[in-house]
Amino acid sequence: MAIVGKKFPSVSIDAMSEMGDDLKINVFEEAVSKGKKVLLFWYPKDFTFVCPTELHAFQAALPDFEKRNTIVIGASCDTNEVHFAWLNTPKDNGGIEGVTYPILADTHRQLSNILGIVEQEVEYDEEGNEIFSGSNVTYRATYLVDETGKVFHESVNDMPVGRNVKEYLRLIDAYAHVQKHGEVCPANWEEGKEAMSANRTGVAEYLSAN
């Protein structure tokens, strides 16, 4: 279900801090109450393979997100207890020790089902009984939420495909440029490059110069 341009669902979900504190986090309220952008990224499961590489990549880029007034939040359907165990497992043993941003524990699939990112299908047998198939964990979905709680980017990767963290920094830069200058950002735009006015003259001048 696409929610770009819409408000992010206002739902409070259990979460774990790096210090082992049980939290309740509402992504919409985090953005609006703190006047910050939020990057929420979902990964399939703790103690797996591609997942820790992504969590460490987001951690390494955390200062870059903070410079952009952006909160980073991870999320999966594991429990807080499993999150805490993974947070206390060393990196060289496949763990995420050193990760400092909070991680949602959407164990009831409350938010992930609203977003439609759980790999699960439901069929019915001849008696009408439900038959479930699929992993019942989330795809690698990513949401960028602005200071008003509006989603300005969403993307979903299949489970074997890791994300490029730098692309989310670029997208935040582009959206911040739009917010500040009222211009639009053309293909492959990066911070410091030329943007353009959203009219015929603007696109003509940009294309003639590029």
Side-chain angles (χ1 to χ4, degrees), residues 122-191:
V122 182
E123 297 178 350
Y124 296 89
D125 63 19
E126 293 178 355
E127 281 112 30
N129 299 312
E130 292 180 328
I131 301 173
F132 294 93
S133 61
S135 65
N136 203 31
V137 299
T138 67
Y139 293 103
R140 299 187 193 281
T142 313
Y143 298 87
L144 292 174
V145 183
D146 73 11
E147 299 87 347
T148 70
K150 186 183 82 171
V151 177
F152 65 92
H153 169 84
E154 66 176 312
S155 59
V156 182
N157 290 7
D158 201 354
M159 294 176 195
V161 182
R163 282 163 278 217
N164 183 337
V165 173
K166 291 181 180 178
E167 172 62 4
Y168 300 107
L169 294 170
R170 188 193 74 84
L171 288 166
I172 293 167
D173 286 341
Y175 192 75
H177 184 93
V178 172
Q179 289 177 306
K180 183 176 181 180
H181 299 286
E183 296 179 312
V184 293
C185 297
N188 300 320
W189 184 92
E190 294 177 345
E191 183 65 42

Side-chain angles (χ1 to χ4, degrees), residues 7 10 13 29 31-33 36 40-41 58 72 80 82 102 107 114 123 151 179-180 189 198 208-209:
K7 298 295 186 181
S10 182
I13 301 295
E29 290 181 358
V32 174
S33 66
K36 293 179 178 287
L40 172 67
F41 74 98
F58 279 109
V72 173
N80 268 352
V82 175
T107 53
I114 291 172
E123 297 178 350
V151 177
Q179 289 177 306
K180 183 176 181 180
W189 184 92
S208 65

Side-chain angles (χ1 to χ4, degrees), residues 72-87:
V72 173
I73 301 173
S76 81
C77 297
D78 295 282
T79 66
N80 268 352
E81 291 77 14
V82 175
H83 285 338
F84 189 58
W86 205 26
L87 283 163

